[in-house]
């Protein structure tokens, strides 16, 4: 497998200059080659040369001014006047061109009409490592709050079709998506939504309730014109223990990315019959291109407007952002890096990474224990790892991230906020990234233990702090997929596309990292060119495109 060679060979990747023609012999046109003609610098006919007039004139001089021959002294006065006039005209034209170029460089973004500053779409802006071009980010605006219609209005309270109840499983961001989908499904069926429960699972070991992290009052009030939401199961329903345990009260086997019509045909009749039903499982159980566009806009309303973190979470996040921007005593931009390189992610990826033989043996044992069916006897994993890396399906190592960021032009002094779990390999694995970018900090570095004590009661509260600090960063960089990165990139796009959200092309990068003959200049060019369109710019959606990462078409409108 191709290993990361930049850490050891970048210093030797300078582009070699081409060899001189003639196998290194002295260039005959060199100024150090002396004239040894017998006439001491005269022509063969004995006339003195005019090195300052003939030899130093470029070829184009004689082409433009044929009036000047070998001896300009013999040129007639009339021809001299014509030549001087041509020189004057060229000089004026040159001054005008230089002025235009300087004016263009000094004002690359804007033009004026009737005294009003306007965007000039035909003018390209200079690339910035911290912002996307203004001209590319002003053509779309958020419009998810606009209610266009096409979906039935909210029914009277006494005419509800029934109650829908879900468990939002997984981590914070997976739960967030489930909540958005639950509101949408309730709207499709004109049902009343019971406030979702944030379900504890085997990975997160968290007992956080909806009201422990989100503002319930705002959530219900904001959506009151879309969906009726109640805080708890109705009192008249006495068999609360049956939900999620009774087959009669649970709708199962809902296909992934189901259409709106599926719920109308298969779920709504059971809700009308039983009056209250639980949906399980509910992760990714609603499609994107097979539901009305108003339903997609509703999901954006929930995600970007209705779901607000508690004030104390927002305030703590704002404090962390302020500290990031002022770590050096002066206001500075900062980058947020979502580094997905925890042991579980490395193991689940079934990719191969740089490491010692002992480390690889321990990882193989871990995979065999956690995923025995996929591991089998391990004989097929080497080829699988190579294929996944070529396809860009492997998490980026910290060292690889460092090299990519440096190639993009980010200096050593860049302030970087790291949102990550325990990095696999610890400090040794982080060393290349920290050496190239020493200003790496986490929320634990920015806040005291006492400040974070109240948030440690709920794992999702700590995840919410990371989410908000990343969301408000000047540049966000992801290293692998996942709901966290998708929601961050989508929200930053919805906020106007101005802030960069860098999504590395891992497939192309794997080829570059594995090429021992690629020079640094070539690598930099590849990185810059490849990622010009991978910075969160407006991007048209297409069927089955993830709404959470790109809300452009259904949730944003032409400005």
């Amino acid at each position: 497998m191709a290993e990361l060679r930049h850490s050891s060979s970048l210093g030797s990747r300078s582009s070699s200059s081409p060899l001189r023609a003639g196998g290194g012999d002295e260039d005959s046109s060199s100024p150090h080659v002396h004239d040894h003609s017998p006439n001491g610098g005269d022509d063969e006919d004995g006339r003195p040369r005019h090195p300052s007039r003939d030899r130093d004139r470029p070829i184009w001089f004689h082409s433009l001014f044929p009036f000047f021959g070998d001896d300009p002294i013999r040129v007639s006065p009339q021809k001299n006047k014509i030549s001087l006039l041509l020189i004057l005209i060229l000089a004026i034209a040159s001054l005008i061109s230089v002025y235009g170029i300087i004016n263009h460089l000094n004002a690359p973004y804007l033009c004026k009409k009737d005294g009003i500053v306007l965007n000039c779409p035909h003018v390209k802006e200079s690339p910035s490592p911290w912002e996307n071009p203004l001209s590319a980010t002003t053509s779309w605006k958020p419009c998810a709050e606009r209610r266009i219609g096409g979906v039935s209005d909210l029914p009277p309270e006494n005419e509800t079709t029934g109650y829908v109840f879900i468990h939002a499983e997984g981590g914070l961001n997976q739960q967030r998506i489930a909540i958005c989908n639950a509101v949408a499904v309730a709207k499709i069926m004109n049902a009343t939504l019971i406030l979702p429960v944030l379900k504890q699972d085997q990975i997160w070991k968290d007992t956080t309730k909806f009201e422990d992290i989100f503002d319930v009052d705002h959530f219900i009030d904001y959506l009151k014109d879309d969906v009726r939401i109640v805080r708890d199961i109705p009192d008249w329903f006495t068999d609360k223990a049956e939900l999620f345990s009774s087959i009669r009260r649970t709708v199962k086997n809902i296909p992934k990315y189901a259409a709106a019509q599926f719920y109308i045909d298969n779920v709504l009749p059971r809700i009308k019959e039983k009056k209250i039903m639980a949906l399980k499982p509910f992760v990714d159980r609603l499609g994107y291109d097979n539901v009305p566009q108003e339903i997609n806009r509703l999901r954006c309303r929930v995600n970007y407007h209705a779901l607000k973190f508690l004030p104390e979470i927002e305030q703590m996040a704002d404090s962390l952002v302020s500290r990031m921007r002022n770590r050096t005593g002066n206001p500075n931009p900062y980058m947020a890096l979502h580094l997905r390189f925890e042991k579980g992610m490395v193991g689940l990826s079934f990719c191969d990474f740089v490491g010692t033989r002992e480390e690889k043996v321990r990882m193989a044992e871990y995979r065999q224990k956690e995923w025995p069916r996929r591991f089998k006897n391990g004989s097929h994993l080497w080829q699988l790892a190579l294929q996944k890396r070529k396809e860009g399906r492997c998490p980026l190592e910290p060292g690889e991230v460092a090299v990519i960021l440096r190639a993009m032009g980010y200096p050593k002094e860049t302030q970087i906020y790291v949102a990550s779990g325990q990095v696999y390999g610890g400090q040794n694995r982080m060393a290349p990234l920290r050496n190239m970018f020493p200003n790496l900090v986490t929320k634990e570095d920015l806040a005291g233990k006492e400040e974070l004590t109240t948030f440690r009661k709920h794992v999702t509260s700590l995840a919410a702090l990371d989410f908000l600090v990343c969301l408000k960063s000047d540049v966000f960089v992801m290293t692998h997929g996942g709901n966290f990165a998708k929601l961050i990139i989508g929200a930053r796009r919805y906020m106007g596309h101005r802030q960069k959200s860098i999504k590395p092309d891992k497939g192309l990068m794997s080829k570059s990292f594995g090429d021992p003959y690629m020079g640094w200049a070539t690598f930099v060019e590849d990185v810059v060119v490849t990622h010009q369109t991978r910075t969160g710019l407006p991007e048209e959606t297409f069927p089955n495109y993830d709404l959470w990462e790109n809300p452009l078409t259904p949730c944003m409108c032409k400005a």
Side-chain angles (χ1 to χ4, degrees):
M1 188 203 71
E3 297 184 356
L4 173 63
R5 295 182 174 89
H6 288 273
S7 58
S8 60
S9 62
L10 288 181
S12 62
R13 284 187 171 179
S14 57
S15 301
S16 59
S17 300
L19 296 176
R20 286 184 176 184
D25 293 338
E26 195 171 21
D27 192 341
S28 61
S29 64
S30 171
H32 300 292
V33 178
H34 300 286
D35 191 348
H36 300 291
S37 63
N39 294 321
D42 293 347
D43 288 329
E44 292 180 359
D45 59 1
R47 289 182 300 174
R49 293 180 180 175
H50 300 284
S52 63
R53 294 174 180 173
D54 295 333
R55 185 183 62 188
D56 295 341
R57 287 180 190 142
I59 295 175
W60 55 263
F61 184 90
H62 295 285
S63 300
L64 291 175
F65 306 112
F67 306 110
F68 288 124
D70 292 336
D71 191 352
I73 297 176
R74 299 179 180 179
V75 179
S76 66
Q78 183 178 2
K79 291 183 178 180
N80 266 332
K81 290 181 180 179
I82 296 175
S83 299
L84 288 174
L85 179 61
L86 288 173
I87 292 174
L88 181 61
I89 293 173
L90 280 175
I92 295 173
S94 299
L95 286 174
I96 294 174
S97 298
V98 170
Y99 175 79
I101 293 172
I102 294 175
N103 189 52
H104 174 77
L105 292 175
N106 287 337
Y109 311 144
L110 305 172
C111 56
K112 289 185 178 181
K113 182 178 181 181
D114 299 328
I116 301 175
V117 178
L118 303 172
N119 290 326
C120 295
H122 61 281
V123 178
K124 289 187 177 180
E125 301 175 47
S126 300
S128 166
W130 294 103
E131 291 181 326
N132 279 323
L134 179 63
S135 58
T137 61
T138 55
S139 57
W140 292 86
K141 64 180 181 180
C143 62
E145 291 186 289
R146 183 187 304 174
R147 292 171 172 83
I148 299 177
V151 178
S152 58
D153 296 330
L154 192 68
E157 185 174 0
N158 59 350
E159 295 181 11
T160 182
T161 58
Y163 292 81
V164 176
F165 190 41
I166 71 154
H167 271 182
E169 302 177 357
L172 170 64
N173 299 288
Q174 187 171 316
Q175 291 172 344
R176 188 184 190 101
I177 292 174
I179 293 168
C180 295
N181 286 338
V183 173
V185 167
K187 179 67 174 179
I188 290 171
M189 299 185 295
N190 279 330
T192 298
L193 177 66
I194 300 172
L195 196 68
V197 171
L198 308 186
K199 186 175 182 288
Q200 177 184 356
D201 61 25
Q202 297 179 354
I203 297 177
W204 293 93
K205 305 294 183 184
D206 192 24
T207 57
T208 303
K209 297 178 181 178
F210 192 105
E211 57 268 25
D212 293 330
I213 190 162
F214 295 116
D215 187 332
V216 177
D217 291 334
H218 174 79
F219 179 74
I220 295 176
D221 183 67
Y222 185 87
L223 295 171
K224 63 183 180 182
D225 295 328
D226 294 301
V227 176
R228 182 169 290 103
I229 303 172
V230 296
R231 291 175 176 266
D232 203 354
I233 300 172
D235 293 335
W236 56 261
F237 186 74
T238 56
D239 298 328
K240 295 182 180 182
E242 286 189 26
L243 287 178
F244 292 101
S245 61
S246 171
I247 296 178
R248 294 186 301 109
R249 294 289 182 181
T250 304
V251 179
K252 295 186 176 182
N253 301 321
I254 300 175
K256 293 190 71 173
Y257 307 113
Q261 196 62 42
F262 175 88
Y263 285 92
I264 295 174
D265 295 340
N266 299 280
V267 181
L268 182 57
R270 297 195 63 185
I271 291 178
K272 288 181 176 180
E273 177 189 358
K274 301 293 184 180
K275 294 302 179 185
I276 181 169
M277 294 294 295
L279 308 183
K280 182 182 180 180
F282 198 67
V283 178
D284 297 326
R285 266 20 190 210
L286 185 63
Y288 305 113
D289 61 325
N290 50 13
V291 301
Q293 286 301 296
E294 181 57 30
I295 292 297
N296 284 330
R297 276 188 289 274
L298 173 59
R299 288 197 277 188
C300 288
R301 282 200 291 278
V302 179
N303 189 25
Y304 302 126
H305 300 283
L307 278 176
K308 289 183 63 177
F309 292 115
L310 292 176
E312 51 266 34
I313 296 177
E314 296 272 1
Q315 292 168 8
M316 187 65 216
D318 288 340
S319 178
L320 295 177
V321 169
S322 177
R323 295 172 194 179
M324 274 301 303
R325 297 196 188 282
N326 295 278
R327 290 189 68 234
T328 61
N330 298 313
N332 289 306
Y334 75 93
M335 174 187 293
L337 174 63
H338 186 222
L339 188 58
R340 296 201 73 190
F341 206 75
E342 306 89 348
K343 182 178 180 179
M345 177 53 62
V346 171
L348 181 61
S349 71
F350 276 82
C351 295
D352 191 59
F353 299 94
V354 178
T356 64
R357 184 181 299 272
E358 292 76 16
E359 185 179 7
K360 293 178 184 295
V361 169
R362 289 196 298 270
M363 176 53 68
E365 293 173 349
Y366 172 70
R367 286 170 172 166
Q368 186 175 27
K369 177 183 177 183
E370 296 294 329
W371 302 280
R373 290 186 178 180
R374 289 186 61 187
F375 188 86
K376 299 178 183 178
N377 61 3
S379 61
H380 67 294
L381 294 181
W382 173 253
Q383 188 63 36
L384 175 65
L386 288 176
Q387 184 64 28
K388 294 188 73 172
R389 186 168 290 277
K390 289 179 181 179
E391 295 172 356
R393 294 190 290 141
C394 294
L396 289 172
E397 295 189 52
E400 293 174 326
V401 177
V403 174
I404 293 173
L405 294 179
R406 183 57 59 84
M408 289 180 176
Y410 294 100
K412 183 178 182 179
E413 298 75 23
T414 301
Q415 303 290 325
I416 301 180
Y417 179 90
V418 180
S420 171
Q422 186 65 39
V423 173
Y424 174 66
Q427 294 303 316
N428 289 336
R429 186 74 66 170
M430 286 290 291
L433 177 60
R434 192 172 293 279
N435 289 340
M436 296 184 74
F437 296 95
N439 294 321
L440 296 176
V441 295
T442 63
K443 56 182 173 293
E444 288 78 12
D445 298 319
L446 294 173
K449 292 184 178 180
E450 297 79 11
E451 289 181 293
L452 296 178
T453 298
T454 55
F455 299 99
R456 294 188 187 280
K457 296 178 182 177
H458 306 292
V459 175
T460 47
S461 295
L462 294 174
L465 292 178
D466 278 340
F467 183 91
L468 289 172
V469 177
C470 289
L471 179 66
K472 298 177 182 182
S473 64
D474 297 277
V475 171
F476 172 71
V477 181
M478 60 172 288
T479 61
H480 200 49
N483 293 317
F484 184 99
K486 286 195 298 186
L487 287 170
I488 291 287
I489 292 175
R492 290 162 71 89
R493 278 177 161 158
Y494 187 77
M495 290 160 57
H497 295 91
R498 185 61 171 166
Q499 299 166 305
K500 278 192 173 181
S501 301
I502 299 175
K503 187 177 182 180
D505 187 332
K506 295 181 292 181
L508 181 64
M509 292 299 97
S510 69
K511 296 178 183 178
S512 300
F513 290 139
D515 185 353
Y517 304 106
M518 178 177 284
W520 175 247
T522 303
F523 177 75
V524 169
E525 182 181 6
D526 285 352
V527 170
V528 172
V529 172
T530 300
H531 295 91
Q532 284 179 344
T533 58
R534 299 178 70 89
T535 59
L537 290 168
E539 186 176 351
E540 292 285 357
T541 55
F542 51 88
N544 296 319
Y545 199 102
D546 200 316
L547 176 72
W548 315 114
E549 184 175 338
N550 188 12
L552 185 66
T553 303
C555 304
M556 302 185 72
C557 305
K558 285 284 188 180

